Amino acid sequence: MTITENKVSNGIELVVNGRLDTTTAPQLEAALKQIKPIRQTLYLNLSGVEYVSSAGLRVILLAHKIMLPTGGQMILRKPSDFCKQVLSATGMDSILTFE
């Protein structure tokens, strides 16, 4: 898995490519913990994620929880078809914001 960080006008975009599973989820979690939880938007671009496990879902929820207390927000950007299926099957699509 690779993670690329891009600065955008109102926050940060993390572009994730590859598998988001038990092995790679800690890498995304570490990247999220480096983000200062200030009033901004975190875009989590999942267009290149070919597989997501329960460990990956936990980290996606963590991103959402990191941003909320400060008035920030997390927006999922372009989730792959597989990600959309998993997020829908787990009901997370009703909790998270999509672009």
Side-chain angles (χ1 to χ4, degrees):
M1 180 180 73
T2 61
I3 302 170
T4 306
E5 183 177 319
N6 300 317
K7 300 231 185 256
V8 293
S9 62
N10 61 337
I12 297 171
E13 176 186 43
L14 294 181
V15 181
V16 183
N17 289 295
R19 295 175 58 90
L20 184 51
D21 56 23
T22 305
T23 306
T24 59
Q27 183 182 350
L28 179 56
E29 185 172 349
L32 290 169
K33 289 183 176 178
Q34 295 297 317
I35 295 172
K36 294 181 177 99
I38 57 174
R39 184 178 282 247
Q40 65 180 346
T41 301
L42 168 64
Y43 295 95
L44 198 54
N45 186 323
L46 302 176
S47 60
V49 174
E50 58 203 38
Y51 175 79
V52 62
S53 71
S54 59
L57 293 175
R58 181 189 64 77
V59 176
I60 292 170
L61 277 178
L62 174 67
H64 177 68
K65 290 179 181 180
I66 287 172
M67 299 308 292
L68 283 180
T70 63
Q73 64 177 334
M74 194 252 331
I75 298 176
L76 292 178
R77 199 174 250 181
K78 304 174 191 173
S80 67
D81 289 339
F82 185 83
C83 284
K84 284 183 204 174
Q85 285 180 318
V86 172
L87 293 166
S88 177
T90 59
M92 287 177 58
D93 61 341
S94 64
I95 299 169
L96 303 174
T97 304
F98 292 81
E99 179 181 77

